[in-house]
Amino acid sequence: MGCPYCNGDTFENAATQESETQWINKCKGCGKYSMYDEATDEQTALDEPRKSNG
Amino acid sequence: MTVAANNTRLNSDVGANNNDLSSIGGGAGAESTDDPAAFFYQGSGIIYRKVTATGASGGGFTYTHPSTTDMTAAATRTMMCKINVTDFGGLNTANGLRLRIGDGSYRDYVLAGTDGKINALQKYPAKGGFIIMPIDPNITAYYDTNGGPTLSAIDEFSAVARFASASAKAENLGLDIIDLGTGLTITGTSVALIDFVDTDEGTLANRWGYATLLADGVFQAFGTWVFGTATAVTMTDTTRVSIIFPDGLFQAGWSGLDFDLQNASTDITLTNKDWKGLGTTAVEDTRPVLLVTGTDGSLTLNNSVFTNYASMTFTSGVVFDGNTILESEAITQAGATITNNICSGNVNANAEALFTIDDLSLFTKNYVEGDGTGYMADLGTISSSGTISWDNTFNTSNFAAVDGSTGNEVILVNYTDTGADLVISVAAGASTPTIHNTGAGTVDVQAGLITLAVTVLDDSTGLPITDARVHLHKSGTPATVYINKETNVSGVASEDIAYDADTDIVGWARQMDVSGTDYTPKDFGGEYTSAGFSITIRLEPIT
């Protein structure tokens, strides 16, 4: 599942955990943030891009 | 004892690699600072990540090395990939596990799934654990996708997993230390075959993957195991073991055995071994190659089985005795003694020879089953006349029954001397070979030979007389001479002739050279039969 903004599939290694199954990732291509949910294997765009604290 | 790895290790400090990682797919990133890690093969750490992705692009991580490596160079073109998926049972069946080699773009390889390019990669091993797989990105038939990386400047290595059903609660995809190389070299005195395994898999800090243990007494060999260099190696290993050369994503000729006999002190004997290749020619010829170089040392390979070899090339330093060769081809004698071997299922094509022979006197007592295609032995070009002995057997049903040029005669030879015949004398008990002669000379195969032998003794002492002259011809036909030569140190003069019919023969023996003891000549006569002729003549010394 790739970046919802640029469809790239490579993210920075550091990620911020939002919940037990959700992580915020920063795309290495476009630099935008999105949310990955392990339970659904979905990568969704964040309404307001947020910075990772990872 | 020294076992050296012909190897370049990239990420020697796995624990510091977190700074060089990126994620393929979202989720938690990869980890390389756990030390010891939850699972690993080499050392105490690994790069690993929790992956539960089910989408086509999968999930995983990329390790980016701080410098680039030329993966077109012979020494570093093959990656010894060591990879593990702990919850492998849920992997996608088509392409559950991939390895990528790249520089920003990449070529990727399916390591578990029906998209795998070789049979060995069609599914994850049922018992799980680390997959050790050589990957050569230069071979275009192996990759699944190709983004066009510059193989002379590779710095990225990625592991990607894709699940049909994922249940991982922790890191489950791991890529252990990245090694690029060609195999192992052993030197030293009184070494043993298991030293390869003990130094590689048996040493936690090494574990390159070239020599591992599949079970007790069953070795897995990747790359080339080299015996000896300019430095000698001595090895007498009679332990019963199997050495398996698996298939893999590597270049033809990368897998096998290399015996270097350049040092006169090198002395190797390997007995009771099962040397089995599992490579194929389906994509790339990944069958093992046995190569001997140098002639000063010695190598004895005996009482062993060699299966599925692309080629075997010997030198005069080799004795190859009492082995079974199965499903192999292109065996070059080059002065070696090759005797008492059985060959079956050989796969040389028609008009190609299983053996290339340069000294027939050292190629004896071998049996070749044959399969109807190809020659048993190529004798090369012979330019001068004479008699050579043939003392081998074969299944006559699987070679041409008459001389010709169908490409499956027993012997291929280019005999060029038009002045006299080349005689191939068939030894007792040997099969009579058919000939494909490409030269202008004539090859005469003489089978069913009988021996006419005259032994000359001193009648006073009973000792053999050396250098006595013996003459033997057909009775009533003096021009048909069978023996005209001097006796040897055993007092014997003999010749082999083709049997025609029971024949009366007459002759004489004398030793009267006015030097030392002379003897009174004596005439004799008799008859040769299909069993030959043998007589002892006692000459009286002249005092």
Side-chain angles (χ1 to χ4, degrees):
Chain A
M1 188 58 63
C3 171
Y5 299 100
C6 71
N7 208 33
D9 73 345
T10 304
F11 300 90
E12 292 187 356
N13 192 49
T16 301
Q17 187 164 18
E18 281 288 281
S19 69
E20 185 175 352
T21 63
Q22 292 180 317
W23 300 81
I24 297 172
N25 296 116
K26 182 181 182 183
C27 176
K28 292 194 76 170
C30 65
K32 294 183 178 178
Y33 292 87
S34 55
M35 179 81 77
Y36 178 74
D37 192 327
E38 289 179 355
T40 60
D41 193 27
E42 293 288 335
Q43 193 93 33
T44 55
L46 295 173
D47 292 338
E48 294 294 331
R50 297 159 61 180
K51 287 188 175 181
S52 165
N53 63 4
Chain B
M1 182 276 293
T2 300
V3 175
N6 305 307
N7 186 75
T8 298
R9 177 158 281 177
L10 293 190
N11 53 341
S12 57
D13 186 1
V14 172
N17 292 149
N18 257 15
N19 296 330
D20 308 313
L21 300 176
S22 57
S23 297
I24 299 171
E31 176 66 81
S32 69
T33 56
D34 286 353
D35 190 9
F39 63 90
F40 56 89
Y41 176 68
Q42 185 277 340
S44 57
I46 193 171
I47 301 170
Y48 58 3
R49 186 187 180 200
K50 178 185 177 184
V51 175
T52 56
T54 57
S57 56
F61 55 85
T62 294
Y63 166 69
T64 304
H65 196 62
S67 60
T68 62
T69 299
D70 182 359
M71 288 195 73
T72 66
T76 52
R77 62 181 287 158
T78 307
M79 174 189 182
M80 289 298 294
C81 175
K82 296 169 278 279
I83 196 167
N84 192 357
V85 180
T86 58
D87 56 339
F88 59 91
L91 286 173
N92 179 282
T93 57
N95 48 35
L97 177 61
R98 294 173 180 268
L99 189 286
R100 296 176 179 174
I101 295 174
D103 63 351
S105 59
Y106 56 83
R107 289 179 171 178
D108 83 334
Y109 302 86
V110 175
L111 299 186
T114 53
D115 289 347
K117 299 300 183 183
I118 61 175
N119 287 339
L121 300 176
Q122 295 300 297
K123 59 184 178 182
Y124 207 94
K127 287 188 284 191
F130 274 87
I131 294 174
I132 299 177
M133 179 54 54
I135 303 172
D136 182 340
N138 297 274
I139 309 298
T140 57
Y142 288 149
Y143 60 69
D144 191 53
T145 61
N146 176 28
T150 301
L151 297 182
S152 60
I154 292 296
D155 60 356
E156 289 187 355
F157 301 87
S158 310
V160 180
R162 178 191 178 192
F163 291 87
S165 61
S167 57
K169 301 296 187 290
E171 290 87 349
N172 59 333
L173 170 65
L175 178 65
D176 214 324
I177 203 153
I178 298 170
D179 291 308
L180 312 175
T182 62
L184 304 172
T185 298
I186 193 167
T187 55
T189 57
S190 300
V191 303
L193 207 57
I194 200 169
D195 290 334
F196 283 113
V197 177
D198 287 344
T199 304
D200 190 320
E201 185 168 81
T203 304
L204 189 61
N206 294 337
R207 295 199 172 174
W208 306 285
Y210 301 111
T212 58
L213 206 58
L214 297 176
D216 187 41
V218 184
F219 305 164
Q220 175 171 280
F222 274 126
T224 299
W225 288 12
V226 181
F227 299 72
T229 61
T231 302
V233 59
T234 63
M235 174 187 294
T236 299
D237 191 324
T238 61
T239 306
R240 288 184 296 275
V241 298
S242 296
I243 305 93
I244 308 296
F245 295 86
D247 201 359
L249 305 180
F250 52 81
Q251 184 188 28
W254 183 78
S255 167
L257 301 164
D258 186 345
F259 298 95
D260 185 340
L261 307 182
Q262 66 174 297
N263 189 309
S265 297
T266 289
D267 186 1
I268 305 166
T269 297
L270 293 164
T271 303
N272 298 330
K273 305 291 183 282
D274 179 9
W275 306 90
K276 186 184 295 290
L278 300 181
T280 75
T281 58
V283 180
E284 176 87 355
D285 189 348
T286 50
R287 297 172 299 171
V289 169
L290 190 159
L291 175 65
V292 183
T293 57
T295 58
D296 293 336
S298 62
L299 167 66
T300 299
L301 300 170
N302 60 4
N303 297 340
S304 298
V305 180
F306 295 80
T307 305
N308 190 34
Y309 277 69
S311 66
M312 304 171 79
T313 304
F314 302 128
T315 72
S316 59
V318 178
V319 174
F320 193 80
D321 180 8
N323 300 293
T324 299
I325 304 172
L326 303 174
E327 299 180 337
S328 299
E329 60 181 318
I331 304 167
T332 302
Q333 179 188 24
T337 297
I338 301 176
T339 187
N340 297 315
N341 301 290
I342 297 172
C343 306
S344 186
N346 43 288
V347 295
N348 52 296
N350 202 46
E352 292 181 354
L354 177 59
F355 287 95
T356 298
I357 299 298
D358 66 334
D359 187 345
L360 197 56
S361 70
L362 300 177
F363 180 76
T364 58
K365 306 294 184 186
N366 300 291
Y367 172 80
V368 173
E369 172 65 18
D371 65 350
T373 59
Y375 309 107
M376 176 173 167
D378 180 356
L379 305 186
T381 296
I382 297 178
S383 56
S384 56
S385 63
T387 299
I388 55 178
S389 178
W390 170 263
D391 190 7
N392 298 282
T393 56
F394 50 86
N395 185 337
T396 55
S397 299
N398 289 332
F399 291 93
V402 296
D403 295 350
S405 58
T406 57
N408 67 334
E409 290 77 15
V410 177
I411 290 177
L412 171 67
V413 64
N414 176 30
Y415 178 58
T416 60
D417 186 355
T418 58
D421 290 359
L422 172 67
V423 176
I424 296 179
S425 172
V426 182
S431 305
T432 302
T434 52
I435 308 295
H436 178 190
N437 176 22
T438 59
T442 300
V443 178
D444 181 14
V445 176
Q446 294 186 351
L449 299 182
I450 60 173
T451 300
L452 311 181
V454 177
T455 303
V456 182
L457 303 179
D458 184 312
D459 188 51
S460 175
T461 65
L463 297 174
I465 300 174
T466 302
D467 298 335
R469 171 62 60 174
V470 172
H471 187 90
L472 183 69
H473 64 265
K474 188 174 184 178
S475 178
T477 311
T480 304
V481 176
Y482 299 120
I483 298 177
N484 182 15
K485 66 195 306 185
E486 293 181 340
T487 54
N488 59 22
V489 294
S490 300
V492 176
S494 68
E495 293 285 3
D496 292 337
I497 67 167
Y499 174 74
D500 44 9
D502 292 356
T503 302
D504 291 333
I505 51 179
V506 296
W508 49 257
R510 72 183 182 194
Q511 210 293 334
M512 191 179 289
D513 57 4
V514 199
S515 174
T517 304
D518 286 333
Y519 298 86
T520 302
K522 185 175 288 186
D523 295 338
F524 60 89
E527 180 188 53
Y528 73 67
T529 67
S530 59
F533 174 77
S534 178
I535 193 171
T536 298
I537 305 299
R538 302 178 75 94
L539 300 183
E540 296 178 2
I542 300 172
T543 56

